[in-house]
Amino acid sequence: MKTIKPTNEQLDTLETVASGATVKVKAYAGAGKTSTLGMIAERFSTKRGQYLAFNKDIAAEAKRKFPRNVMCQTVHSVAFRATDKALTARLNLPKEPPHLLAARYGLGPVRVPTIIGKNVELSAFQVGRLAADGAGRFCRSAQDEPEA
Ligand SMILES: Nc1ncnc2c1ncn2[C@@H]1O[C@H](COP(=O)(O)OP(=O)(O)O)[C@@H](O)[C@H]1O
Ligand SMILES: [Mg+2]
């Protein structure tokens, strides 16, 4: 990072970090948050930092800007590395479209009642998608067993 004269707010932040306290900085875009992080990284060059970005471009830009003691990664890449290979390998499995899933389980169209009393027909495709969505919701939940 290029050397700039820190503002009072940036100096305050540096001092608070030096005190060992946990710090949260909330400021408008362009207010100097990233620059402040850079100052912190340079001042505490023997410490290690972790910069988490939402996307790859931002992580790559941070990697160029920050000193070597700061790891710059996306949230997803950190999660990916921490996940069992047996699970991440499954991310590359081909996706089964809803109508094929329905066919494989022998699911045909179903008529279901609605709250206004009229029946509505769900196609095999829609039933397949309901099954896949339900399984997905279960996988992202903390439940031990799927509910009906
Ligand atoms: N103390 C300072 N003096 C002068 N310019 C500064 C200072 N701090 C930050 N800047 C400049 O302000 C601009 C925005 O800073 P940046 O850290 O990217 O803001 P943010 O991350 O909050 O969006 C950058 O061009 C940066 O170089
Ligand atoms: Mg920024």
Side-chain angles (χ1 to χ4, degrees), residues 54-66:
F54 289 114
N55 68 52
K56 215 169 189 165
D57 285 349
I58 294 174
E61 195 195 334
K63 204 170 178 168
R64 284 195 300 273
K65 281 196 197 164
F66 281 90

Side-chain angles (χ1 to χ4, degrees), residues 30 32-35 51 65:
K33 300 179 296 294
T34 304
S35 310
Y51 183 100
K65 281 196 197 164

